[in-house]
Amino acid sequence: VQLVESGGGLVQPGGSLRVSCTASGSIFSINAMGWYRQAPGKQRELVAVIRSGGSTNYADSVKGRFTISRDNALNTVYLQMDSLKPEDTAVYYCHANMRTAAWDRGYDYWGQGTQVTVSS
């Protein structure tokens, strides 16, 4: 089972960017998918999460600017980032809690990370 991210890059302040993450492998079900980020010298922090039922949570710092969505048929989660600020610069990591079998209680998986840089 693996998570593969795409869509990071360089964007000017006020701009938009969308990152995506697709889960592949022997997947029975996906409980929750989300995005974390880690800036240099800082701890990794939760950005947004979306659960199997569709409920979402966002970090206060991104509320109203970022939108998380999910395509269950494609095992893919998206993070639409609008009104980007320099302080959003970080490596963004995809996270998923997935079950590989019916008796599996669910385990955490991480992507390799994608760099998002907001700078003029």
Side-chain angles (χ1 to χ4, degrees):
V1 177
Q2 64 176 348
L3 299 174
V4 178
E5 300 131 334
S6 62
L10 173 65
V11 63
Q12 292 187 340
S16 297
L17 202 62
R18 188 176 83 157
V19 291
S20 61
C21 170
T22 298
S24 62
S26 181
I27 300 169
F28 177 76
S29 66
I30 300 176
N31 297 323
M33 299 187 81
W35 292 91
Y36 287 70
R37 67 185 181 187
Q38 188 167 20
K42 294 188 177 181
Q43 289 188 329
R44 189 174 297 189
E45 62 175 359
L46 173 68
V47 177
V49 61
I50 183 166
R51 299 174 185 82
S52 57
S55 63
T56 59
N57 284 100
Y58 295 90
D60 288 341
S61 59
V62 307
K63 282 181 181 177
R65 300 189 297 120
F66 291 11
T67 303
I68 190 169
S69 60
R70 178 172 167 175
D71 187 326
N72 291 328
L74 297 178
N75 290 335
T76 298
V77 63
Y78 307 94
L79 185 68
Q80 176 67 40
M81 301 180 286
D82 298 319
S83 303
L84 282 160
K85 304 175 181 180
E87 50 263 44
D88 294 318
T89 295
V91 177
Y92 283 69
Y93 295 92
C94 178
H95 166 267
N97 184 273
M98 298 187 284
R99 298 166 67 193
T100 58
W103 56 86
D104 192 329
R105 64 178 178 85
Y107 293 92
D108 293 325
Y109 296 86
W110 293 91
Q112 79 283 359
T114 184
Q115 177 70 46
V116 172
T117 302
V118 185
S119 175
S120 55

